[in-house]
């Protein structure tokens, strides 16, 4: 792969987690072996990566080559078509690394018609940055990561609900990174009551995610720590029509039935492209059983909690035969100072 | 480390798992740069490694150097003292890699008095082969390995008791190796009833372990598969005085109370140096809570079983605070074709 496409991918990775329902994309404009423009899509509604890079390049873009991690668009969305901008800038060659599966029409022919060479060089890394975006856009729900921290015997807490601290400091840092890379964190009422969590990203210039609370009963205590932080939006989904608050950063959505699909579609409509689920056994098991999850991140601490297993992170009403049990693929495993991190995908 | 000590360690490893309550030991006799004798302790009551190596060397042992992974004994045990044999063989130098912590008297001075040079060169690998032997001898109980195969949510079976097959073929092969390296496998009545296991070592020339069954109630069905194999000894511990059988390979021990300590001491007295526990939640949890276990080997299959968790492998009557929960250290982790193997030690 060209060094310049590598740079474009690096740019895309820098903005991964801050582009909401849009994919992270990077772009580099190169003329006579020198970079004359760089760009990345910073957030939905903002300029696309290639437009930024072309703006930076200015007149230098003439007869230059542009590298883009994703195929340039040829339609009017929240911004005008990028192919027009490329044509106007008099670019001589376009190289991109991922086909945009979410598009009905492609711009290669338009570019060709204007004498611009187009080279599609598939790159797996570039594609992986976009693949969940394609899926999310097709289903109109966010990309979903479920995170669980548990003991080796599969418990999130002892039978009294005590869970602090099962995993170590280094895992907490890893979780802060996870939060930073997601637009929103979703949890259930039970976890709120038990753990009194903050769901913040505690590192310098980290982005705090929107907090989403699933509470069918609406039995919430607004005096809790999480509600004291008024700088981040809090969205509550409930089946309780009487739940109200004056607090400005809290948005309550009443649903007759809190179905996951309904909630996820609503969250996506509101601009959440990547959702992190950090919840107790009930909500966690609901997500892990659904077909919506893209990634399951499991941290194991090398301890056994025992008891009766009230807080086993995975519990189901139905009993399944072993061959029909919920099957995953391990895509990554590592030791984080005596804790184990597994990244899994549904099979 | 000398190449010859490496060979001695290799010899010791070859017999690891077949020496019962004795440690695996290897020895090499070297004269003028050539190996003139090799030996390993094959089983309790048999010659010690250095005696075998000296016998092989014959008159060549005169003025030779002997490498032994463990300090030679200077007392009458089941065999005469090895230092006498070394002196008689007119060895000029003894090199050993582990001090025998189980001995009250050491033979260095005796060897010195006969003009034999003694060199203690500590080697970690050689020592690790013996360390559990020292502990077992001090406590008069076997070295204990607890093996568990579970889903990622900590279950050995679904709520109906179905457990076949959670882990994959490669893990089964690994378990056969484990059985081969242990003198006996212990299980509970529940597992026998549920899984109808054989506890055999299904590879060429593999050694089948003695089968030990813990059944307080004595409610056993002798028609089960495990009892059909009459080639291996089966020892049953029970609190039921009426449990009897005519089957020759079955030995029933009646105890008023089946305390782990009592059973383990009896097993050790009968010659079991290394015990593998492959059992259901009840027996597994009893061992994992005890201070007796030397190694906990946990295989995870990348699936979630769910249900209510009747067969969570670790369950306790008491609820512990997280800081007081059963803490382990991960000494090894690996992926075995999408299954995870962890080797843990109690902290």
């Amino acid at each position: 792969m060209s060094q310049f496409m590598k740079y474009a991918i690096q740019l895309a990775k820098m903005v991964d987690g801050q582009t909401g329902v849009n994919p992270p994309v990077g772009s580099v404009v190169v003329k006579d072996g020198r970079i004359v423009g760089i760009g990345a899509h910073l957030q939905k509604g903002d300029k696309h990566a290639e437009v930024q890079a072309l703006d930076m390049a200015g007149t230098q873009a003439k007869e230059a080559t542009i590298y883009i991690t994703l195929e340039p668009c040829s339609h009017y969305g929240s911004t005008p078509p990028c192919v027009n901008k490329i044509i106007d800038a008099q670019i001589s060659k376009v190289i991109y690394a991922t086909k945009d599966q979410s598009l009905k029409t492609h711009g290669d022919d338009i570019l060709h018609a204007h004498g611009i060479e187009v080279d599609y060089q598939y790159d797996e890394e570039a594609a992986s940055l976009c693949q969940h975006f394609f899926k999310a856009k097709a289903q109109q729900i966010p990309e979903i990561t479920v995170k669980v921290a548990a003991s080796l015997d599969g418990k999130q807490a002892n039978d009294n609900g005590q869970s602090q601290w099962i995993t170590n400091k280094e895992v907490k840092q890893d979780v802060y990174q996870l939060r930073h890379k997601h637009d929103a964190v979703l949890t259930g009422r039970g976890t709120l009551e038990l753990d009194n969590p903050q769901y913040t990203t505690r590192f310098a210039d980290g982005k705090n995610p929107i907090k989403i609370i699933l509470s069918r009963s609406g039995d919430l205590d607004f005096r809790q720590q999480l509600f004291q932080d008024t700088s981040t939006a809090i969205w509550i989904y409930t089946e309780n029509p009487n739940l109200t608050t004056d607090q400005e950063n809290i948005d309550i959505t009443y649903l007759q039935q809190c179905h996951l699909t309904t909630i996820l579609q609503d969250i996506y409509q509101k601009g959440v492209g990547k959702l992190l689920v950090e919840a107790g056994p009930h909500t966690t098991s609901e997500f892990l059983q659904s077909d919506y999850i893209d990634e399951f991140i499991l941290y194991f601490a090398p301890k056994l909690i025992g008891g009766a297993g009230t807080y086993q992170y995975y519990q189901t009403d139905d009993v399944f035969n072993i061959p029909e049990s919920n099957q995953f693929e391990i895509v990554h495993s590592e030791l984080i100072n005596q804790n184990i991190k597994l990244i899994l995908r549904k099979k």
Side-chain angles (χ1 to χ4, degrees), chain A residues 230-295:
Chain A
T230 55
S231 68
T232 321
I234 300 175
W235 301 347
I236 299 169
Y237 289 87
T238 187
E239 294 173 2
N240 178 351
N242 302 317
L243 186 67
T244 52
T245 174
D246 298 334
Q247 203 173 309
E248 282 201 356
N249 65 320
I250 301 182
D251 175 72
I252 299 176
T253 303
Y254 162 72
L255 295 169
Q256 267 199 314
Q257 283 199 304
C258 278
H259 281 309
L260 273 200
T261 314
T262 319
I263 293 169
L264 293 173
Q265 285 173 344
D266 192 59
I267 289 170
Y268 184 77
Q269 286 306 323
K270 285 178 177 158
V272 169
K274 293 182 85 168
L275 176 69
L276 179 66
V277 178
E278 286 194 70
H282 189 80
T283 305
T284 297
S285 297
E286 195 172 348
F287 272 91
L288 287 173
Q289 282 184 90
S290 80
D291 286 328
Y292 294 134
I293 67 164
D294 296 289
E295 231 164 40

Side-chain angles (χ1 to χ4, degrees), chain A residues 9 35 80 144 152 158 177 179 203 237 241 245 251 311 329:
Chain A
I9 293 170
I35 292 176
I144 296 171
L152 288 173
N158 70 12
Q177 289 287 347
R179 289 179 186 158
F203 61 82
Y237 289 87
T245 174
D251 175 72
Y311 289 91
E329 183 191 4

Side-chain angles (χ1 to χ4, degrees), chain A residues 4-22:
Chain A
F4 298 116
M5 186 58 86
K6 261 190 202 155
Y7 295 152
I9 293 170
Q10 282 171 10
L11 289 162
K13 281 183 169 177
M14 288 175 201
V15 295
D16 190 17
Q18 67 173 57
T19 55
V21 295
N22 277 9

Side-chain angles (χ1 to χ4, degrees), chain A residues 1 9-10 14 26 28 42 91 106 145 147 151 172 179 181 214 237 250 260 266 274-275 277 288 297 302 333:
Chain A
M1 182 182 39
I9 293 170
Q10 282 171 10
M14 288 175 201
V28 174
L42 301 179
I91 284 286
H106 297 273
T145 305
K147 170 236 136 183
S151 60
K172 283 183 199 46
R179 289 179 186 158
K181 295 263 178 203
L214 198 58
Y237 289 87
I250 301 182
L260 273 200
D266 192 59
K274 293 182 85 168
L275 176 69
V277 178
L288 287 173
I297 299 184
S333 70

Side-chain angles (χ1 to χ4, degrees), chain A residues 36-74:
Chain A
V36 294
I38 56 171
H41 178 54
L42 301 179
Q43 67 175 79
K44 184 166 165 64
D46 210 338
K47 289 176 189 168
H48 284 189
E50 53 271 55
V51 173
Q52 278 195 331
L54 289 170
D55 280 350
M56 190 185 291
T59 56
Q60 298 259 51
K62 192 176 172 183
E63 288 171 20
T65 296
I66 188 164
Y67 293 82
I68 325 169
T69 57
L70 180 65
E71 178 185 359
C73 67
S74 55

